[in-house]
Amino acid sequence: MIKTLKDLDLKDKKVLVRVDFNTPLSDGKVADDSRIRAALPTIKYLIKHNATIILMSHLGRPKGQVKDDYRLEPVAVHLSKLLGKDIRYIQSDGPISPKQIEFANSAPKGSITLLENTRFDAGEKKNDPEMAKILASYADVFVNDAFGTAHRAHASTEGVAHLLPSAAGLLLEKEIEILSKLIQNPEKPFKVIIGGAKVSDKIGVIAKLLPIADEILIGGAMAYSFFKAAGGQVGNSLVEDDKLDLANELIKKASEQNTKIILPIDSACATEIKSDVEVKIYPSEQIPDGWMGLDIGPEAIKTFKNSLKDAKTILWNGPMGVSEVAPFDKGTKAVAETVSELDGFTVIGGGDSVAAINKLGFADKIDHVSTGGGASLELLEGKTLPGVKALEF
Ligand code: ADP
Ligand code: MG
């Protein structure tokens, strides 16, 4: 059991909140604000309880250095618009720099402050106790609402939680509740769609879900490791040669457990990854040399759609092809459309799959769009996330 907002005495307290504002920026502006919006319920809850709020987040990979392109200023501007309130922000040399310390400590009652990028400080990723101590000194209580980084033990997620009365925010609570229910008690038939680049990223989840799911549909580059493992010809498709044994093992386990693994029968192939290139459809186990499978093919789309029709629960993680380059986004689009039209309970996780569903404008039709890529996978594998463990009773 973890502590939640209701377990904290918040009235007139200074509350330090770790959020996940790791959003894409373009031209100095927030390009996709879904993660910021996802944090609003907790922020609004704290405003209602008259808390003085100190927000902190990482953004991108500044590698422990101060870099102007990774400042949280555009996020402060955007958040201020969303809330219709002032957000205190100051450019500084990081979240525990002298200027930042003074700024955080002079926060007026009821104000909202956003600290500078936590990853400007090398102590963040090292879970440096000194950094955690300074962050903790800003407030009376700590709330972690950053599901997207809950699988990392960093100073602003794990370290600080041990130093203050701490609890999960509303987003973190919801993510854990929904994703844990999927692996404990999904309504059947439960169908899982897995795609993306690497078998190695997702093998843990597939293994965990084999005894729980009724069917597992595999697309993306991952599929070619399965075809190659079974003796197929996959041309120049992306394959992880050191994972072929694992792929065979999964197929064997699946048949022992009466879970169907469905692979894409055909593939949209090309010799290069670019938009205006000749595309040919080949059976996925007969792709000629020089050609790469870059998307699931039209027959595979039909099979996948057909399989999903009767699902009562669906989990989707990972695109079906190189979805960022048309025309290799057809399979991902078709699956996105199918999933968004289903009556069953639908959950999507994974950075690239969520980006695809947002781009298509289907996010509203999905029951739960997870804000965590790696974090959602680790939770589904049944692992305890360090950022969450630190909040246990
Ligand atoms: P997610 O972020 O949704 O978990 P991943 O990061 O695992 O997804 O995978 C997304 C990446 O996989 C994209 O960059 C996409 O181009 C790549 N990808 C998907 N299918 C293929 C393929 N057939 N060949 C090469 N790359 C692929
Ligand atoms: Mg990704």
PDB file of all heavy atoms in Angstrom, residues 217-219 224 227 262-269 279-285 295-308 320 330-331 334-335 338:
ATOM      1  N   LEU A 217      -0.595  -9.948 -30.040  1.00  0.00           N
ATOM      2  CA  LEU A 217      -0.322  -9.582 -31.432  1.00  0.00           C
ATOM      3  C   LEU A 217       1.017  -8.852 -31.463  1.00  0.00           C
ATOM      4  O   LEU A 217       1.205  -7.880 -30.736  1.00  0.00           O
ATOM      5  CB  LEU A 217      -1.414  -8.647 -31.952  1.00  0.00           C
ATOM      6  CG  LEU A 217      -2.788  -9.239 -32.296  1.00  0.00           C
ATOM      7  CD1 LEU A 217      -3.394 -10.008 -31.153  1.00  0.00           C
ATOM      8  CD2 LEU A 217      -3.736  -8.146 -32.750  1.00  0.00           C
ATOM      9  N   ILE A 218       1.909  -9.331 -32.295  1.00  0.00           N
ATOM     10  CA  ILE A 218       3.233  -8.711 -32.323  1.00  0.00           C
ATOM     11  C   ILE A 218       3.498  -8.049 -33.668  1.00  0.00           C
ATOM     12  O   ILE A 218       3.402  -8.679 -34.728  1.00  0.00           O
ATOM     13  CB  ILE A 218       4.327  -9.752 -32.012  1.00  0.00           C
ATOM     14  CG1 ILE A 218       4.118 -10.252 -30.562  1.00  0.00           C
ATOM     15  CG2 ILE A 218       5.729  -9.142 -32.173  1.00  0.00           C
ATOM     16  CD1 ILE A 218       5.138 -11.256 -30.095  1.00  0.00           C
ATOM     17  N   GLY A 219       3.798  -6.755 -33.641  1.00  0.00           N
ATOM     18  CA  GLY A 219       4.140  -6.020 -34.859  1.00  0.00           C
ATOM     19  C   GLY A 219       5.457  -5.292 -34.656  1.00  0.00           C
ATOM     20  O   GLY A 219       6.191  -5.579 -33.708  1.00  0.00           O
ATOM     21  N   TYR A 224      10.309  -9.433 -36.631  1.00  0.00           N
ATOM     22  CA  TYR A 224      11.272 -10.112 -37.519  1.00  0.00           C
ATOM     23  C   TYR A 224      12.245 -11.004 -36.759  1.00  0.00           C
ATOM     24  O   TYR A 224      12.765 -11.981 -37.323  1.00  0.00           O
ATOM     25  CB  TYR A 224      11.981  -9.084 -38.417  1.00  0.00           C
ATOM     26  CG  TYR A 224      10.934  -8.309 -39.184  1.00  0.00           C
ATOM     27  CD1 TYR A 224      10.599  -7.009 -38.829  1.00  0.00           C
ATOM     28  CD2 TYR A 224      10.189  -8.934 -40.191  1.00  0.00           C
ATOM     29  CE1 TYR A 224       9.574  -6.322 -39.466  1.00  0.00           C
ATOM     30  CE2 TYR A 224       9.157  -8.263 -40.832  1.00  0.00           C
ATOM     31  CZ  TYR A 224       8.854  -6.959 -40.463  1.00  0.00           C
ATOM     32  OH  TYR A 224       7.827  -6.307 -41.085  1.00  0.00           O
ATOM     33  N   PHE A 227      10.291 -14.201 -36.669  1.00  0.00           N
ATOM     34  CA  PHE A 227      10.312 -14.913 -37.965  1.00  0.00           C
ATOM     35  C   PHE A 227      11.676 -15.540 -38.214  1.00  0.00           C
ATOM     36  O   PHE A 227      11.778 -16.682 -38.656  1.00  0.00           O
ATOM     37  CB  PHE A 227       9.948 -13.955 -39.107  1.00  0.00           C
ATOM     38  CG  PHE A 227       8.475 -13.669 -39.190  1.00  0.00           C
ATOM     39  CD1 PHE A 227       7.987 -12.401 -38.950  1.00  0.00           C
ATOM     40  CD2 PHE A 227       7.578 -14.686 -39.505  1.00  0.00           C
ATOM     41  CE1 PHE A 227       6.625 -12.140 -39.022  1.00  0.00           C
ATOM     42  CE2 PHE A 227       6.201 -14.435 -39.585  1.00  0.00           C
ATOM     43  CZ  PHE A 227       5.725 -13.155 -39.330  1.00  0.00           C
ATOM     44  N   ILE A 262       0.178 -13.912 -32.301  1.00  0.00           N
ATOM     45  CA  ILE A 262      -0.138 -13.656 -33.710  1.00  0.00           C
ATOM     46  C   ILE A 262       0.914 -12.723 -34.298  1.00  0.00           C
ATOM     47  O   ILE A 262       1.106 -11.604 -33.819  1.00  0.00           O
ATOM     48  CB  ILE A 262      -1.546 -13.045 -33.861  1.00  0.00           C
ATOM     49  CG1 ILE A 262      -2.581 -13.985 -33.222  1.00  0.00           C
ATOM     50  CG2 ILE A 262      -1.864 -12.794 -35.331  1.00  0.00           C
ATOM     51  CD1 ILE A 262      -4.008 -13.504 -33.352  1.00  0.00           C
ATOM     52  N   LEU A 263       1.585 -13.213 -35.322  1.00  0.00           N
ATOM     53  CA  LEU A 263       2.611 -12.407 -35.994  1.00  0.00           C
ATOM     54  C   LEU A 263       2.039 -11.869 -37.309  1.00  0.00           C
ATOM     55  O   LEU A 263       1.100 -12.440 -37.860  1.00  0.00           O
ATOM     56  CB  LEU A 263       3.843 -13.272 -36.260  1.00  0.00           C
ATOM     57  CG  LEU A 263       4.612 -13.713 -35.005  1.00  0.00           C
ATOM     58  CD1 LEU A 263       5.594 -14.834 -35.341  1.00  0.00           C
ATOM     59  CD2 LEU A 263       5.333 -12.545 -34.360  1.00  0.00           C
ATOM     60  N   PRO A 264       2.590 -10.766 -37.825  1.00  0.00           N
ATOM     61  CA  PRO A 264       2.057 -10.197 -39.072  1.00  0.00           C
ATOM     62  C   PRO A 264       2.396 -11.095 -40.263  1.00  0.00           C
ATOM     63  O   PRO A 264       3.578 -11.314 -40.548  1.00  0.00           O
ATOM     64  CB  PRO A 264       2.782  -8.856 -39.178  1.00  0.00           C
ATOM     65  CG  PRO A 264       4.005  -8.995 -38.339  1.00  0.00           C
ATOM     66  CD  PRO A 264       3.709 -10.001 -37.278  1.00  0.00           C
ATOM     67  N   ILE A 265       1.374 -11.581 -40.924  1.00  0.00           N
ATOM     68  CA  ILE A 265       1.571 -12.543 -42.012  1.00  0.00           C
ATOM     69  C   ILE A 265       2.340 -11.914 -43.186  1.00  0.00           C
ATOM     70  O   ILE A 265       3.150 -12.568 -43.825  1.00  0.00           O
ATOM     71  CB  ILE A 265       0.204 -13.129 -42.419  1.00  0.00           C
ATOM     72  CG1 ILE A 265       0.325 -14.173 -43.504  1.00  0.00           C
ATOM     73  CG2 ILE A 265      -0.776 -12.074 -42.858  1.00  0.00           C
ATOM     74  CD1 ILE A 265      -0.900 -15.061 -43.576  1.00  0.00           C
ATOM     75  N   ASP A 266       2.073 -10.617 -43.429  1.00  0.00           N
ATOM     76  CA  ASP A 266       2.833  -9.931 -44.489  1.00  0.00           C
ATOM     77  C   ASP A 266       3.363  -8.583 -44.004  1.00  0.00           C
ATOM     78  O   ASP A 266       2.959  -8.101 -42.947  1.00  0.00           O
ATOM     79  CB  ASP A 266       1.979  -9.759 -45.768  1.00  0.00           C
ATOM     80  CG  ASP A 266       0.710  -8.958 -45.509  1.00  0.00           C
ATOM     81  OD1 ASP A 266       0.413  -8.645 -44.338  1.00  0.00           O
ATOM     82  OD2 ASP A 266      -0.004  -8.639 -46.480  1.00  0.00           O
ATOM     83  N   SER A 267       4.272  -8.015 -44.792  1.00  0.00           N
ATOM     84  CA  SER A 267       4.925  -6.765 -44.383  1.00  0.00           C
ATOM     85  C   SER A 267       5.034  -5.800 -45.551  1.00  0.00           C
ATOM     86  O   SER A 267       5.215  -6.218 -46.707  1.00  0.00           O
ATOM     87  CB  SER A 267       6.351  -7.060 -43.888  1.00  0.00           C
ATOM     88  OG  SER A 267       6.325  -7.791 -42.694  1.00  0.00           O
ATOM     89  N   ALA A 268       4.947  -4.512 -45.232  1.00  0.00           N
ATOM     90  CA  ALA A 268       5.263  -3.474 -46.219  1.00  0.00           C
ATOM     91  C   ALA A 268       6.769  -3.260 -46.159  1.00  0.00           C
ATOM     92  O   ALA A 268       7.317  -2.947 -45.109  1.00  0.00           O
ATOM     93  CB  ALA A 268       4.512  -2.185 -45.891  1.00  0.00           C
ATOM     94  N   CYS A 269       7.436  -3.484 -47.309  1.00  0.00           N
ATOM     95  CA  CYS A 269       8.905  -3.501 -47.310  1.00  0.00           C
ATOM     96  C   CYS A 269       9.469  -2.437 -48.241  1.00  0.00           C
ATOM     97  O   CYS A 269       8.836  -2.049 -49.231  1.00  0.00           O
ATOM     98  CB  CYS A 269       9.418  -4.867 -47.768  1.00  0.00           C
ATOM     99  SG  CYS A 269       8.769  -6.234 -46.783  1.00  0.00           S
ATOM    100  N   VAL A 279       7.516   0.706 -52.395  1.00  0.00           N
ATOM    101  CA  VAL A 279       7.089  -0.188 -51.315  1.00  0.00           C
ATOM    102  C   VAL A 279       6.528  -1.466 -51.922  1.00  0.00           C
ATOM    103  O   VAL A 279       5.732  -1.419 -52.850  1.00  0.00           O
ATOM    104  CB  VAL A 279       6.000   0.492 -50.442  1.00  0.00           C
ATOM    105  CG1 VAL A 279       5.530  -0.458 -49.344  1.00  0.00           C
ATOM    106  CG2 VAL A 279       6.529   1.784 -49.840  1.00  0.00           C
ATOM    107  N   LYS A 280       6.997  -2.620 -51.423  1.00  0.00           N
ATOM    108  CA  LYS A 280       6.455  -3.896 -51.892  1.00  0.00           C
ATOM    109  C   LYS A 280       5.941  -4.701 -50.710  1.00  0.00           C
ATOM    110  O   LYS A 280       6.499  -4.622 -49.612  1.00  0.00           O
ATOM    111  CB  LYS A 280       7.536  -4.704 -52.604  1.00  0.00           C
ATOM    112  CG  LYS A 280       7.830  -4.221 -54.007  1.00  0.00           C
ATOM    113  CD  LYS A 280       8.729  -5.212 -54.709  1.00  0.00           C
ATOM    114  CE  LYS A 280       9.036  -4.734 -56.126  1.00  0.00           C
ATOM    115  NZ  LYS A 280      10.032  -5.612 -56.766  1.00  0.00           N
ATOM    116  N   ILE A 281       4.896  -5.457 -50.941  1.00  0.00           N
ATOM    117  CA  ILE A 281       4.363  -6.311 -49.878  1.00  0.00           C
ATOM    118  C   ILE A 281       4.934  -7.723 -50.060  1.00  0.00           C
ATOM    119  O   ILE A 281       4.828  -8.301 -51.148  1.00  0.00           O
ATOM    120  CB  ILE A 281       2.816  -6.374 -49.956  1.00  0.00           C
ATOM    121  CG1 ILE A 281       2.207  -4.966 -49.981  1.00  0.00           C
ATOM    122  CG2 ILE A 281       2.256  -7.212 -48.813  1.00  0.00           C
ATOM    123  CD1 ILE A 281       2.493  -4.103 -48.774  1.00  0.00           C
ATOM    124  N   TYR A 282       5.574  -8.233 -49.030  1.00  0.00           N
ATOM    125  CA  TYR A 282       6.098  -9.596 -49.049  1.00  0.00           C
ATOM    126  C   TYR A 282       5.550 -10.365 -47.846  1.00  0.00           C
ATOM    127  O   TYR A 282       5.264  -9.753 -46.806  1.00  0.00           O
ATOM    128  CB  TYR A 282       7.630  -9.591 -48.929  1.00  0.00           C
ATOM    129  CG  TYR A 282       8.352  -9.099 -50.159  1.00  0.00           C
ATOM    130  CD1 TYR A 282       8.971  -7.854 -50.158  1.00  0.00           C
ATOM    131  CD2 TYR A 282       8.435  -9.900 -51.307  1.00  0.00           C
ATOM    132  CE1 TYR A 282       9.651  -7.391 -51.284  1.00  0.00           C
ATOM    133  CE2 TYR A 282       9.114  -9.437 -52.431  1.00  0.00           C
ATOM    134  CZ  TYR A 282       9.717  -8.188 -52.416  1.00  0.00           C
ATOM    135  OH  TYR A 282      10.388  -7.738 -53.524  1.00  0.00           O
ATOM    136  N   PRO A 283       5.443 -11.708 -47.975  1.00  0.00           N
ATOM    137  CA  PRO A 283       5.175 -12.496 -46.767  1.00  0.00           C
ATOM    138  C   PRO A 283       6.318 -12.221 -45.779  1.00  0.00           C
ATOM    139  O   PRO A 283       7.475 -12.154 -46.194  1.00  0.00           O
ATOM    140  CB  PRO A 283       5.226 -13.951 -47.261  1.00  0.00           C
ATOM    141  CG  PRO A 283       5.046 -13.869 -48.748  1.00  0.00           C
ATOM    142  CD  PRO A 283       5.600 -12.549 -49.175  1.00  0.00           C
ATOM    143  N   SER A 284       6.004 -12.055 -44.499  1.00  0.00           N
ATOM    144  CA  SER A 284       7.026 -11.611 -43.541  1.00  0.00           C
ATOM    145  C   SER A 284       8.172 -12.602 -43.365  1.00  0.00           C
ATOM    146  O   SER A 284       9.227 -12.244 -42.855  1.00  0.00           O
ATOM    147  CB  SER A 284       6.380 -11.336 -42.187  1.00  0.00           C
ATOM    148  OG  SER A 284       5.406 -10.342 -42.318  1.00  0.00           O
ATOM    149  N   GLU A 285       7.974 -13.857 -43.804  1.00  0.00           N
ATOM    150  CA  GLU A 285       9.074 -14.818 -43.656  1.00  0.00           C
ATOM    151  C   GLU A 285       9.804 -15.039 -44.980  1.00  0.00           C
ATOM    152  O   GLU A 285      10.635 -15.932 -45.108  1.00  0.00           O
ATOM    153  CB  GLU A 285       8.545 -16.136 -43.097  1.00  0.00           C
ATOM    154  CG  GLU A 285       7.494 -16.730 -43.988  1.00  0.00           C
ATOM    155  CD  GLU A 285       6.585 -17.702 -43.271  1.00  0.00           C
ATOM    156  OE1 GLU A 285       6.829 -18.001 -42.096  1.00  0.00           O
ATOM    157  OE2 GLU A 285       5.630 -18.160 -43.920  1.00  0.00           O
ATOM    158  N   ASP A 295       6.666  -2.136 -41.943  1.00  0.00           N
ATOM    159  CA  ASP A 295       5.311  -1.988 -41.394  1.00  0.00           C
ATOM    160  C   ASP A 295       4.599  -3.324 -41.577  1.00  0.00           C
ATOM    161  O   ASP A 295       4.991  -4.131 -42.435  1.00  0.00           O
ATOM    162  CB  ASP A 295       4.563  -0.885 -42.158  1.00  0.00           C
ATOM    163  CG  ASP A 295       3.266  -0.452 -41.461  1.00  0.00           C
ATOM    164  OD1 ASP A 295       3.042  -0.849 -40.289  1.00  0.00           O
ATOM    165  OD2 ASP A 295       2.484   0.291 -42.099  1.00  0.00           O
ATOM    166  N   ILE A 296       3.544  -3.549 -40.799  1.00  0.00           N
ATOM    167  CA  ILE A 296       2.753  -4.750 -41.051  1.00  0.00           C
ATOM    168  C   ILE A 296       1.992  -4.537 -42.366  1.00  0.00           C
ATOM    169  O   ILE A 296       1.653  -3.403 -42.730  1.00  0.00           O
ATOM    170  CB  ILE A 296       1.795  -5.074 -39.878  1.00  0.00           C
ATOM    171  CG1 ILE A 296       0.817  -3.924 -39.600  1.00  0.00           C
ATOM    172  CG2 ILE A 296       2.590  -5.379 -38.605  1.00  0.00           C
ATOM    173  CD1 ILE A 296      -0.258  -4.260 -38.547  1.00  0.00           C
ATOM    174  N   GLY A 297       1.745  -5.611 -43.111  1.00  0.00           N
ATOM    175  CA  GLY A 297       1.121  -5.503 -44.431  1.00  0.00           C
ATOM    176  C   GLY A 297      -0.401  -5.550 -44.367  1.00  0.00           C
ATOM    177  O   GLY A 297      -0.985  -5.698 -43.286  1.00  0.00           O
ATOM    178  N   PRO A 298      -1.053  -5.455 -45.541  1.00  0.00           N
ATOM    179  CA  PRO A 298      -2.529  -5.389 -45.574  1.00  0.00           C
ATOM    180  C   PRO A 298      -3.220  -6.653 -45.021  1.00  0.00           C
ATOM    181  O   PRO A 298      -4.240  -6.534 -44.344  1.00  0.00           O
ATOM    182  CB  PRO A 298      -2.852  -5.210 -47.057  1.00  0.00           C
ATOM    183  CG  PRO A 298      -1.577  -5.454 -47.807  1.00  0.00           C
ATOM    184  CD  PRO A 298      -0.445  -5.234 -46.859  1.00  0.00           C
ATOM    185  N   GLU A 299      -2.649  -7.834 -45.283  1.00  0.00           N
ATOM    186  CA  GLU A 299      -3.267  -9.063 -44.746  1.00  0.00           C
ATOM    187  C   GLU A 299      -3.127  -9.093 -43.225  1.00  0.00           C
ATOM    188  O   GLU A 299      -4.054  -9.496 -42.498  1.00  0.00           O
ATOM    189  CB  GLU A 299      -2.614 -10.322 -45.337  1.00  0.00           C
ATOM    190  CG  GLU A 299      -3.011 -10.603 -46.781  1.00  0.00           C
ATOM    191  CD  GLU A 299      -4.529 -10.684 -46.964  1.00  0.00           C
ATOM    192  OE1 GLU A 299      -5.198 -11.352 -46.154  1.00  0.00           O
ATOM    193  OE2 GLU A 299      -5.038 -10.035 -47.910  1.00  0.00           O
ATOM    194  N   ALA A 300      -1.969  -8.674 -42.751  1.00  0.00           N
ATOM    195  CA  ALA A 300      -1.736  -8.636 -41.301  1.00  0.00           C
ATOM    196  C   ALA A 300      -2.709  -7.664 -40.633  1.00  0.00           C
ATOM    197  O   ALA A 300      -3.269  -7.965 -39.565  1.00  0.00           O
ATOM    198  CB  ALA A 300      -0.300  -8.225 -41.006  1.00  0.00           C
ATOM    199  N   ILE A 301      -2.932  -6.532 -41.270  1.00  0.00           N
ATOM    200  CA  ILE A 301      -3.884  -5.555 -40.706  1.00  0.00           C
ATOM    201  C   ILE A 301      -5.257  -6.209 -40.545  1.00  0.00           C
ATOM    202  O   ILE A 301      -5.903  -6.089 -39.503  1.00  0.00           O
ATOM    203  CB  ILE A 301      -3.969  -4.289 -41.597  1.00  0.00           C
ATOM    204  CG1 ILE A 301      -2.652  -3.496 -41.495  1.00  0.00           C
ATOM    205  CG2 ILE A 301      -5.146  -3.399 -41.189  1.00  0.00           C
ATOM    206  CD1 ILE A 301      -2.570  -2.257 -42.372  1.00  0.00           C
ATOM    207  N   LYS A 302      -5.667  -6.979 -41.598  1.00  0.00           N
ATOM    208  CA  LYS A 302      -6.967  -7.663 -41.521  1.00  0.00           C
ATOM    209  C   LYS A 302      -7.009  -8.640 -40.354  1.00  0.00           C
ATOM    210  O   LYS A 302      -7.972  -8.683 -39.590  1.00  0.00           O
ATOM    211  CB  LYS A 302      -7.235  -8.429 -42.830  1.00  0.00           C
ATOM    212  CG  LYS A 302      -7.911  -7.597 -43.882  1.00  0.00           C
ATOM    213  CD  LYS A 302      -8.346  -8.485 -45.052  1.00  0.00           C
ATOM    214  CE  LYS A 302      -8.177  -7.727 -46.359  1.00  0.00           C
ATOM    215  NZ  LYS A 302      -8.022  -8.624 -47.518  1.00  0.00           N
ATOM    216  N   THR A 303      -5.955  -9.461 -40.233  1.00  0.00           N
ATOM    217  CA  THR A 303      -5.918 -10.445 -39.137  1.00  0.00           C
ATOM    218  C   THR A 303      -5.965  -9.749 -37.778  1.00  0.00           C
ATOM    219  O   THR A 303      -6.659 -10.196 -36.865  1.00  0.00           O
ATOM    220  CB  THR A 303      -4.586 -11.242 -39.160  1.00  0.00           C
ATOM    221  OG1 THR A 303      -4.092 -11.297 -40.473  1.00  0.00           O
ATOM    222  CG2 THR A 303      -4.741 -12.618 -38.574  1.00  0.00           C
ATOM    223  N   PHE A 304      -5.183  -8.683 -37.642  1.00  0.00           N
ATOM    224  CA  PHE A 304      -5.123  -7.980 -36.356  1.00  0.00           C
ATOM    225  C   PHE A 304      -6.502  -7.400 -36.011  1.00  0.00           C
ATOM    226  O   PHE A 304      -6.994  -7.543 -34.898  1.00  0.00           O
ATOM    227  CB  PHE A 304      -4.057  -6.858 -36.378  1.00  0.00           C
ATOM    228  CG  PHE A 304      -2.637  -7.350 -36.204  1.00  0.00           C
ATOM    229  CD1 PHE A 304      -2.292  -8.662 -36.499  1.00  0.00           C
ATOM    230  CD2 PHE A 304      -1.639  -6.502 -35.728  1.00  0.00           C
ATOM    231  CE1 PHE A 304      -0.975  -9.122 -36.334  1.00  0.00           C
ATOM    232  CE2 PHE A 304      -0.326  -6.949 -35.544  1.00  0.00           C
ATOM    233  CZ  PHE A 304       0.007  -8.262 -35.865  1.00  0.00           C
ATOM    234  N   LYS A 305      -7.115  -6.751 -37.011  1.00  0.00           N
ATOM    235  CA  LYS A 305      -8.440  -6.150 -36.781  1.00  0.00           C
ATOM    236  C   LYS A 305      -9.439  -7.209 -36.342  1.00  0.00           C
ATOM    237  O   LYS A 305     -10.220  -7.017 -35.420  1.00  0.00           O
ATOM    238  CB  LYS A 305      -8.958  -5.505 -38.078  1.00  0.00           C
ATOM    239  CG  LYS A 305      -8.430  -4.110 -38.303  1.00  0.00           C
ATOM    240  CD  LYS A 305      -9.210  -3.455 -39.436  1.00  0.00           C
ATOM    241  CE  LYS A 305      -8.939  -1.972 -39.463  1.00  0.00           C
ATOM    242  NZ  LYS A 305      -9.553  -1.287 -40.580  1.00  0.00           N
ATOM    243  N   ASN A 306      -9.382  -8.334 -37.037  1.00  0.00           N
ATOM    244  CA  ASN A 306     -10.299  -9.421 -36.756  1.00  0.00           C
ATOM    245  C   ASN A 306     -10.112  -9.963 -35.345  1.00  0.00           C
ATOM    246  O   ASN A 306     -11.071 -10.244 -34.640  1.00  0.00           O
ATOM    247  CB  ASN A 306     -10.057 -10.519 -37.790  1.00  0.00           C
ATOM    248  CG  ASN A 306     -11.295 -11.327 -38.022  1.00  0.00           C
ATOM    249  OD1 ASN A 306     -12.401 -10.788 -37.871  1.00  0.00           O
ATOM    250  ND2 ASN A 306     -11.118 -12.591 -38.341  1.00  0.00           N
ATOM    251  N   SER A 307      -8.870 -10.090 -34.950  1.00  0.00           N
ATOM    252  CA  SER A 307      -8.579 -10.608 -33.614  1.00  0.00           C
ATOM    253  C   SER A 307      -9.080  -9.656 -32.537  1.00  0.00           C
ATOM    254  O   SER A 307      -9.537 -10.081 -31.474  1.00  0.00           O
ATOM    255  CB  SER A 307      -7.072 -10.821 -33.449  1.00  0.00           C
ATOM    256  OG  SER A 307      -6.696 -10.670 -32.100  1.00  0.00           O
ATOM    257  N   LEU A 308      -8.999  -8.356 -32.797  1.00  0.00           N
ATOM    258  CA  LEU A 308      -9.317  -7.369 -31.755  1.00  0.00           C
ATOM    259  C   LEU A 308     -10.818  -7.180 -31.538  1.00  0.00           C
ATOM    260  O   LEU A 308     -11.249  -6.700 -30.491  1.00  0.00           O
ATOM    261  CB  LEU A 308      -8.673  -6.015 -32.106  1.00  0.00           C
ATOM    262  CG  LEU A 308      -7.136  -6.006 -32.107  1.00  0.00           C
ATOM    263  CD1 LEU A 308      -6.609  -4.662 -32.598  1.00  0.00           C
ATOM    264  CD2 LEU A 308      -6.587  -6.313 -30.713  1.00  0.00           C
ATOM    265  N   MET A 320       3.349  -0.335 -34.904  1.00  0.00           N
ATOM    266  CA  MET A 320       3.401  -1.516 -35.779  1.00  0.00           C
ATOM    267  C   MET A 320       4.466  -1.426 -36.859  1.00  0.00           C
ATOM    268  O   MET A 320       4.726  -2.388 -37.586  1.00  0.00           O
ATOM    269  CB  MET A 320       2.026  -1.718 -36.454  1.00  0.00           C
ATOM    270  CG  MET A 320       0.880  -1.989 -35.498  1.00  0.00           C
ATOM    271  SD  MET A 320       1.066  -3.581 -34.669  1.00  0.00           S
ATOM    272  CE  MET A 320       1.826  -3.114 -33.150  1.00  0.00           C
ATOM    273  N   LYS A 330       0.871   3.041 -41.844  1.00  0.00           N
ATOM    274  CA  LYS A 330      -0.471   2.508 -42.128  1.00  0.00           C
ATOM    275  C   LYS A 330      -0.938   1.500 -41.080  1.00  0.00           C
ATOM    276  O   LYS A 330      -2.080   1.535 -40.637  1.00  0.00           O
ATOM    277  CB  LYS A 330      -0.490   1.844 -43.509  1.00  0.00           C
ATOM    278  CG  LYS A 330      -0.593   2.826 -44.629  1.00  0.00           C
ATOM    279  CD  LYS A 330      -0.923   2.118 -45.941  1.00  0.00           C
ATOM    280  CE  LYS A 330      -0.916   3.120 -47.074  1.00  0.00           C
ATOM    281  NZ  LYS A 330      -0.347   2.544 -48.316  1.00  0.00           N
ATOM    282  N   GLY A 331      -0.046   0.588 -40.703  1.00  0.00           N
ATOM    283  CA  GLY A 331      -0.415  -0.444 -39.732  1.00  0.00           C
ATOM    284  C   GLY A 331      -0.744   0.176 -38.383  1.00  0.00           C
ATOM    285  O   GLY A 331      -1.742  -0.188 -37.742  1.00  0.00           O
ATOM    286  N   ALA A 334      -4.074   1.915 -38.601  1.00  0.00           N
ATOM    287  CA  ALA A 334      -5.191   0.972 -38.632  1.00  0.00           C
ATOM    288  C   ALA A 334      -5.456   0.406 -37.234  1.00  0.00           C
ATOM    289  O   ALA A 334      -6.607   0.300 -36.802  1.00  0.00           O
ATOM    290  CB  ALA A 334      -4.906  -0.162 -39.623  1.00  0.00           C
ATOM    291  N   VAL A 335      -4.395   0.070 -36.524  1.00  0.00           N
ATOM    292  CA  VAL A 335      -4.571  -0.469 -35.171  1.00  0.00           C
ATOM    293  C   VAL A 335      -5.135   0.621 -34.251  1.00  0.00           C
ATOM    294  O   VAL A 335      -6.050   0.382 -33.458  1.00  0.00           O
ATOM    295  CB  VAL A 335      -3.237  -1.033 -34.624  1.00  0.00           C
ATOM    296  CG1 VAL A 335      -3.322  -1.292 -33.130  1.00  0.00           C
ATOM    297  CG2 VAL A 335      -2.879  -2.326 -35.353  1.00  0.00           C
ATOM    298  N   THR A 338      -8.799   0.960 -34.965  1.00  0.00           N
ATOM    299  CA  THR A 338      -9.543  -0.185 -34.451  1.00  0.00           C
ATOM    300  C   THR A 338      -9.679  -0.106 -32.937  1.00  0.00           C
ATOM    301  O   THR A 338     -10.774  -0.265 -32.390  1.00  0.00           O
ATOM    302  CB  THR A 338      -8.821  -1.509 -34.820  1.00  0.00           C
ATOM    303  OG1 THR A 338      -8.547  -1.483 -36.212  1.00  0.00           O
ATOM    304  CG2 THR A 338      -9.666  -2.710 -34.493  1.00  0.00           C
TER     305      THR A 338
END
